[in-house]
């Protein structure tokens, strides 16, 4: 079943040039988006009956959690260095927490001087609340607001961030924890750890980095194996675990819960207690290798969904990935380390359960060196979340393409155009079992992220929404097309996504 690109016809233009958006008031913009989307009868539209009907069928508990999020300029104190940045009232934002089936009502106010939005990463929510302008909503203009309201379909560890340009690489992120009313796992304490690579307000802004990277390598090739900073670029960052080039952006700081190693986040606990640690990689160009000195980690979930427990020494997290681990606390003071994979730097925090001297941030942590590095390849979905056996109704092949030299990251050789998002749509239909084969034809790893669905890795692997794909490899996954709408999929290296490594999966109407 070929998956055929749609050419926009004169009667169905997506009118959202930047100038068009800026020239209109917010209400008019929303109307323009809807008007520009409705004349394409072959696709389910975000505000159409198929989406609201699916939401109605989700039912839910009827309980409502209400939150206010204001995106605004702020300052982050990095152990004495002040970084001007943007955030949702803290870095990370306060945790949003509710129980699966509950409704989240989140009013997002925009006090930035740029358009913004909020995307609820990993949630298979109703399409018009997915927060991807201009595909699922009009952008929230400066001074404007948007009321997100949706039933939370599945429990797990999720997070939220804007889906406009490289705004994620400011401090605009927070955790969204959805409790399971039928939780199988028990624990004494719980910590949420958000890992991040930080440059905003210190060396550059995310927009400046994107501009620099977009120029391509120019005359900068031929640097050999040199590991060095060149402006906002980091040359020579390599990792065997990532199959080569580990990342390309220079970050002066790596953070755990907004804190640098010189002023580390501190967690306290009781020896013998079991802690559930919810790990989120909110970085934009950095994979983290996570470990806790003197402890092993038992992986219980990834991307919100349970897996058969596996004990590891460390975990590799690509951007956008989440892992839940259980740790039985020892007695003393312990280092928590998230190595910026291949970048020769790290994020660092402390765990205190007893007396002792705090380790230095450059302490050697043997768990990081072990071969017991957990990745999705080690994991198996638990029986209750494994997909039923079914023959795929549709096969879709996508290839990740492009490279650093021209900075032309794309999918199937084409760079996505956010002003013309329906140019390249992969068609699917409600009720289908879809097999998706993602081939990495580039020389670099990519964390591939699909919106609105949690697929399962082939061979009984984990349910996930964000997966690391090494250079030259193909990842095969399957999902049930049960959430109608227009859903983007993209690399979660935000600079790759903005360069064009993005596509759309559209439900036929
Ligand atoms: Cu990428």
């Amino acid at each position: 079943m070929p998956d055929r690109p749609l050419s926009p016809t004169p009667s169905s233009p997506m009118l959202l040039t930047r100038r068009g958006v800026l020239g209109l008031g917010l209400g008019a913009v929303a109307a323009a988006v809807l008007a520009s989307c409705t004349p394409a009868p072959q696709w389910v539209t975000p505000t159409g009956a198929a989406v609201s009907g699916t939401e109605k069928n989700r039912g839910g508990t009827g309980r409502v959690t209400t939150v206010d999020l204001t995106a605004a300029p702020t300052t982050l104190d990095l152990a004495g260095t002040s970084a001007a940045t943007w955030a949702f009232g803290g870095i990370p934002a306060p945790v949003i927490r509710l129980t699966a089936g509950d409704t989240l009502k989140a009013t997002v106010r925009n006090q930035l001087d740029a358009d913004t939005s909020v995307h609820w990463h990993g949630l298979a929510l109703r399409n018009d609340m997915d927060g991807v302008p201009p595909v699922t909503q009009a952008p929230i203009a400066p001074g404007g607001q948007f009321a997100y309201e949706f039933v939370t379909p599945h429990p797990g560890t999720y997070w939220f961030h804007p889906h406009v340009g490289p705004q994620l690489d400011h401090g605009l992120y927070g955790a969204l924890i959805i409790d399971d009313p039928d939780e199988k796992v028990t624990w004494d304490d719980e910590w949420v750890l958000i890992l991040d690579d930080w440059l905003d307000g210190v060396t550059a802004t995310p927009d400046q980095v994107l501009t620099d990277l977009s120029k391509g390598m120019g005359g900068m090739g031929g640097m050999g194996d040199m590991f060095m900073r060149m402006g906002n670029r980091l040359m020579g960052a390599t990792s065997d675990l990532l199959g080569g080039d580990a990342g390309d952006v220079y970050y002066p700081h790596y953070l755990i819960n907004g804190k640098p190693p010189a002023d580390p986040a501190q967690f306290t606990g009781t020896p013998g207690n079991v802690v559930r640690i919810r790990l989120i990689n909110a970085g934009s160009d950095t994979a983290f290798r996570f470990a806790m000195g003197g402890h092993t980690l038992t992986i219980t979930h990834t991307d919100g969904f349970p897996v058969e427990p596996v004990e590891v020494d460390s975990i590799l997290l690509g951007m956008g990935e989440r892992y839940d681990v259980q740790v039985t606390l020892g007695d003393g003071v312990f280092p928590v380390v998230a190595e910026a994979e291949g970048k020769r730097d790290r994020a660092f925090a402390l765990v205190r359960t007893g007396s002792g001297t705090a380790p230095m941030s450059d302490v050697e942590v043997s768990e990081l060196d072990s071969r017991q590095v957990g990745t999705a390849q080690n994991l198996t979905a638990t029986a209750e979340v494994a997909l039923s056996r079914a023959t795929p109704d549709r096969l879709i092949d996508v290839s990740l393409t492009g490279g650093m030299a021209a900075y032309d990251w794309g999918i199937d050789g084409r760079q996505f155009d956010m002003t013309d998002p329906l140019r390249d749509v992969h068609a699917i239909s409600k009720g289908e079992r879809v097999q998706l084969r993602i081939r990495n034809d580039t020389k670099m790893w990519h964390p591939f992220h699909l919106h609105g669905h949690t697929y399962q890795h082939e061979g009984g692997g984990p349910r996930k929404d964000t997966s690391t794909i090494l250079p030259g490899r193909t990842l095969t996954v399957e999902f049930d097309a049960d959430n109608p709408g227009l859903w983007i999929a993209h690399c979660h290296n935000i600079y790759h996504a903005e360069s064009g490594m993005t596509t759309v999966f559209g439900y036929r109407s």
Side-chain angles (χ1 to χ4, degrees), residues 445-447 491 493 496 501:
W445 73 285
H446 303 281
C491 176
N493 181 313
H496 293 187
M501 194 175 273

Side-chain angles (χ1 to χ4, degrees), residues 264-508:
Q266 309 220 15
F267 300 89
T268 55
T270 305
N273 271 10
V274 174
V275 179
R276 179 176 186 162
I277 304 179
R278 297 179 185 260
L279 288 168
I280 300 168
N281 182 350
S284 287
D285 179 70
T286 306
F288 287 100
R289 195 192 305 199
F290 177 88
M292 186 168 154
H295 294 76
T296 57
L297 314 169
T298 301
I299 301 174
T300 61
H301 299 72
T302 183
D303 293 359
F305 280 65
V307 295
E308 294 298 339
V310 173
E311 191 174 338
V312 296
D313 287 338
S314 61
I315 297 179
L316 185 71
L317 296 92
M319 294 81 81
E321 281 191 286
R322 291 89 65 212
Y323 283 88
D324 291 20
V325 300
Q326 290 208 331
V327 176
T328 303
L329 293 176
D331 189 353
V333 187
F334 303 97
V336 170
V337 174
E339 289 277 348
E341 184 70 22
K343 293 184 165 184
R344 306 187 191 180
D345 204 346
R346 59 168 54 167
F348 175 80
L350 287 172
V351 169
R352 286 179 190 277
T353 66
S355 57
T357 311
M360 304 290 284
S361 62
D362 59 355
V363 62
E364 210 163 292
V365 174
S366 61
E367 286 79 4
L368 289 168
D369 301 325
S370 159
R371 294 190 187 156
Q372 294 283 351
V373 181
T375 68
Q377 275 63 51
N378 311 122
L379 302 176
T380 305
T382 61
E384 69 259 30
V385 300
L387 293 186
S388 62
R389 278 193 173 278
T391 306
D393 301 297
R394 184 182 296 273
L395 302 177
I396 298 179
D397 284 297
V398 299
S399 58
L400 310 179
T401 55
M404 277 302 287
Y407 219 74
D408 57 350
W409 303 110
I411 288 186
D412 297 330
R414 291 163 76 84
Q415 289 175 268
F416 189 71
D417 180 357
M418 257 303 180
T419 64
D420 186 12
L422 297 186
R423 187 192 65 185
D424 305 300
V425 182
H426 296 278
I428 57 181
S429 295
K430 191 176 180 191
E432 290 177 341
R433 169 65 58 85
V434 179
Q435 185 181 91
L436 178 59
R437 293 184 297 208
I438 313 134
R439 195 175 75 230
N440 183 349
D441 281 335
T442 78
K443 294 193 163 60
M444 185 175 181
W445 73 285
H446 303 281
F448 180 86
H449 173 48
L450 173 64
H451 287 214
H453 305 77
T454 299
Y455 49 70
Q456 185 175 12
H457 282 208
E458 65 181 329
R463 294 283 299 271
K464 284 184 75 64
D465 54 69
T466 311
S467 302
T468 292
I469 309 177
L470 300 188
R473 300 285 186 81
T474 298
L475 176 69
T476 301
V477 302
E478 291 190 6
F479 65 90
D480 285 324
D482 56 5
N483 197 15
L486 297 170
W487 300 102
I488 68 166
H490 60 96
C491 176
H492 222 279
N493 181 313
I494 199 62
Y495 298 104
H496 293 187
E498 283 304 301
S499 156
M501 194 175 273
T502 298
T503 191
V504 176
F505 289 83
Y507 281 67
R508 286 190 193 283

